[in-house]
Amino acid sequence: MSSVRPSPEILAIARRWIEAVPNRRPNDLSNLMTKEDHLMFFGTGEDEVWSGQAVRYGVGAFFGAIPPVTTHIEHFAEAYENGDTGWACLTHEIAFEPHPDRSFLVRSTLILTLEDGAWKIVHRHGSVPTPNEEFTGREQTAIADLIAAAKDGFALDQTEGLASIMFTDIVGSSALASALGDRAWSPIIAAHFDMIRDIVADHDGQFVKSLGDGTMSSFPSARACLEAASAIQTTLATNTQDPHLSVRIGIHTGEVMQAHDDFFGTVVNKAARIASTAQAQEIRVSDTTQLIVRNAVGFVFSGSKDFGLKGLEGRHTTYLLEWQR
């Protein structure tokens, strides 16, 4: 049985290492790396392939040579661990002086191992992606299309019919993790996931997975999904402990399709995109979900808005679920 599991601790360490670059913290960069000779560093340049302790000693000066960073936005971050090995993948949008209006997308992969009870980076790979069309003169989408389909896939207990998919995401989690440090942040995020998992189970839903600092869950009932979302927001709003966490929630209901024991469909992608349009403490739902439950007692909707959702054609109407009474 696989013991691979999401790792909030490794994600926090990876973010600390990444954020040390624009914040000019060379000691953080070197101290988070192994002292062993198997340390490896792959950069974006053709000849940037190095190994050994020279990497640890020189990493601060290497990144110190870049211009001051004017924009640093995280777009994707996930981390996992399996025994004494872990890994993280992050993407960031970065712009430098003297051209703050020109940004680059940077991908970073980190591999870590446990050394005397502490996670240490043993391998770093950074890249700046360039579209294949610039090299070949044509788009090459076959692999991208397959990955997009697989990305939407998930295994469910439910085998047919409509499913309501809920995504949650902590607002401002990067700043909180950086301010608190890895040791303090790890149990907080773990407790947050446990809270959501319990609420989802209490409403006959399935906690599918955590994604970085967010979660994905599925419900056979749209009503139960909205009740669970409201319970999550209410629990967070009434929590008096520090730090105070705020989440945004996105929900969409649609038909699921089975293929080789996995489920695929735009229902998952659309729910994730709707979540990205919500603000802190908001529950934003698709027009399909709103239509299913709009006549049910106990639900009030407002704030109708049309959005263009990445990867989906046309405009999409969404509503705010008024969970505060």
Side-chain angles (χ1 to χ4, degrees):
M1 179 179 294
S2 173
S3 59
V4 175
R5 63 183 186 275
S7 179
E9 182 180 8
I10 290 179
L11 184 59
I13 293 170
R15 282 174 168 155
R16 174 180 288 184
W17 196 86
I18 294 292
E19 290 165 2
V21 175
N23 292 322
R24 309 289 186 178
R25 297 198 297 262
N27 288 340
D28 283 8
L29 290 168
S30 59
N31 289 338
L32 290 171
M33 304 181 93
T34 182
K35 295 181 180 180
E36 302 297 328
D37 288 336
H38 53 245
L39 175 62
M40 301 188 70
F41 186 101
F42 287 73
T44 59
E46 181 178 355
D47 299 322
E48 293 178 350
V49 180
W50 302 298
S51 62
Q53 282 307 293
V55 173
R56 186 168 177 270
Y57 297 138
V59 67
F62 175 84
F63 286 116
I66 67 174
V69 174
T70 58
T71 300
H72 188 221
I73 303 172
E74 179 183 286
H75 287 294
F76 173 86
E78 286 191 6
Y80 296 88
E81 61 181 274
N82 184 7
D84 59 359
T85 304
W87 56 95
C89 180
L90 306 94
T91 64
H92 293 80
E93 181 181 348
I94 296 177
F96 304 100
E97 293 181 357
H99 302 290
D101 56 339
R102 184 185 180 191
S103 60
F104 300 88
L105 185 66
V106 179
R107 299 168 177 165
S108 297
T109 299
L110 301 173
I111 301 175
L112 302 88
T113 60
L114 274 175
E115 297 179 3
D116 298 323
W119 289 106
K120 295 294 182 179
I121 297 167
V122 296
H123 179 106
R124 179 266 184 184
H125 187 184
S127 66
V128 178
T130 302
N132 287 335
E133 190 174 8
E134 293 186 15
F135 295 104
T136 65
R138 65 176 63 182
E139 290 186 330
Q140 297 167 270
T141 64
I143 295 176
D145 292 342
L146 288 172
I147 292 174
K151 186 178 180 181
D152 287 349
F154 57 100
L156 289 179
D157 294 333
Q158 183 181 346
T159 59
E160 62 181 359
L162 293 176
S164 291
I165 305 299
M166 176 181 72
F167 279 86
T168 74
D169 180 56
I170 299 176
V171 178
S173 60
S174 296
L176 278 173
S178 177
L180 293 172
D182 308 332
R183 189 178 298 275
W185 177 246
S186 181
I188 291 172
I189 192 67
H192 175 74
F193 287 157
D194 287 342
M195 179 271 291
I196 292 179
R197 186 179 286 105
D198 289 343
I199 289 177
V200 169
D202 288 343
H203 291 82
D204 297 323
Q206 180 186 351
F207 186 96
V208 179
K209 58 184 175 181
S210 59
L211 308 116
D213 295 332
T215 68
M216 171 186 165
S217 301
S218 174
F219 300 80
S221 161
R223 181 187 182 99
C225 183
L226 298 190
E227 289 175 345
S230 298
I232 290 169
Q233 294 290 28
T234 300
T235 299
L236 291 173
T238 55
N239 182 18
T240 58
Q241 296 181 344
D242 288 328
H244 182 76
L245 301 182
S246 294
V247 303
R248 51 181 162 224
I249 298 178
I251 296 170
H252 177 49
T253 304
E255 193 79 21
V256 294
M257 299 175 291
Q258 186 174 8
H260 305 295
D261 297 325
D262 284 336
F263 287 80
F264 301 89
T266 58
V267 56
V268 176
N269 190 33
K270 186 168 181 177
R273 299 304 184 195
I274 290 174
S276 69
T277 69
Q279 303 298 314
Q281 298 185 313
E282 285 187 350
I283 302 171
R284 190 161 284 278
V285 308
S286 68
D287 53 353
T288 303
T289 305
Q290 190 265 353
L291 181 64
I292 292 173
V293 301
R294 65 178 179 178
N295 295 324
V297 176
F299 296 114
V300 177
F301 297 94
S302 65
S304 172
K305 285 187 179 181
D306 289 346
F307 292 97
L309 301 178
K310 184 178 179 180
L312 300 173
E313 294 183 359
R315 305 287 292 178
H316 301 264
T317 303
T318 65
Y319 295 84
L320 283 180
L321 172 64
E322 298 293 341
W323 58 273
Q324 293 174 311
R325 301 288 190 267

